[in-house]
Amino acid sequence: AMAYLGAFGTPDANPLTRPGDQLPPLRIERHWLPSGDLGIWVTVEQMRRLVRESVYHPRVREVAVRAIAGNRPDDSEANARSIAAWLQDSCPYVRDPFPCEYLIAPWVLLSRVDADGSAGCDCDCVSTLGAALLSSIGLRPVFTVLANGKGTPPETYNHVLTRASIDGKLVSVDPFSLEGCVEQAVRYKDIEAT
């Protein structure tokens, strides 16, 4: 079994954190993850919980509204692509500590962006943040869990990304994946992110 370590802020603690402010208090949860697909689904359920806790957080909404400024409110695809661009600019890829699966709450990542200009994170953290940002502006996020063939064995799920469900089409907001990665996956599964 793999260790799971989550860093979660208190959602209502200091919701309007600004650059230079003290970061909100953290609560750390440690759990054991089962191996294989079951461990993936446990992680995704924790991600969904964090999205549900974050969607009404004022800082999450403020960042999303700022990211889509200048777009027409009814242009959902442009709004999703603006969220993707913000994630690309603000969240460089950084691996989890070995051997943990490390989840960071969206409002904690936003506090890091405010304090440092960016928040390094991996695919599950940026997917959770992306889903919270999309939800906060009324878009429906979907987590796509996939096996890109690089795992051992190749059908092992090893990546997650967030896509916005818009008029029956899924629009990726993932800053870490190449276009077409889902279609090229060995297998994938779409899961409601809220």
Side-chain angles (χ1 to χ4, degrees):
M2 179 187 303
Y4 156 85
L5 173 67
F8 309 103
T10 304
D12 56 352
N14 199 8
L16 300 177
T17 303
R18 298 281 183 235
D21 286 353
Q22 185 175 359
L23 296 178
L26 296 180
R27 84 177 182 267
I28 304 294
E29 297 177 6
R30 291 181 178 94
H31 306 276
W32 284 103
L33 277 180
S35 60
D37 289 354
L38 183 57
I40 298 296
W41 308 134
V42 169
T43 301
V44 169
E45 191 52 42
Q46 291 297 321
M47 293 165 60
R48 293 178 75 221
R49 179 177 64 88
L50 287 171
V51 171
R52 288 189 302 269
E53 289 178 3
S54 303
V55 70
Y56 302 110
H57 193 285
R59 191 71 188 112
V60 172
R61 168 100 175 152
E62 180 184 343
V63 168
V65 168
R66 194 171 4 141
I68 65 168
N71 295 346
R72 288 191 346 257
D74 63 339
D75 192 343
S76 297
E77 193 162 335
N79 290 336
R81 295 209 186 282
S82 293
I83 295 293
W86 186 90
L87 291 167
Q88 178 76 41
D89 291 343
S90 303
C91 298
Y93 183 82
V94 176
R95 291 179 191 230
D96 281 341
F98 181 80
C100 296
E101 184 59 62
Y102 191 61
L103 295 177
I104 303 171
W107 57 88
V108 175
L109 286 173
L110 293 177
S111 293
R112 286 184 179 175
V113 171
D114 289 343
D116 302 329
S118 68
C121 55
D122 72 342
C123 63
D124 46 35
C125 294
V126 81
S127 292
T128 304
L129 176 56
L133 292 168
L134 290 171
S135 292
S136 77
I137 56 169
L139 296 178
R140 194 175 120 227
V142 174
F143 289 135
T144 301
V145 180
L146 61 91
N148 62 16
K150 296 177 183 173
T152 306
E155 64 274 1
T156 301
Y157 286 119
N158 59 354
H159 186 55
V160 62
L161 57 99
T162 297
R163 302 191 288 175
S165 179
I166 301 169
D167 299 325
K169 182 173 145 183
L170 292 172
V171 177
S172 178
V173 300
D174 184 69
F176 304 147
S177 299
L178 298 174
E179 194 70 35
C181 72
V182 175
E183 295 77 14
Q184 295 170 7
V186 174
R187 67 178 176 149
Y188 72 92
K189 183 172 178 84
D190 294 322
I191 303 157
E192 293 293 323
T194 55

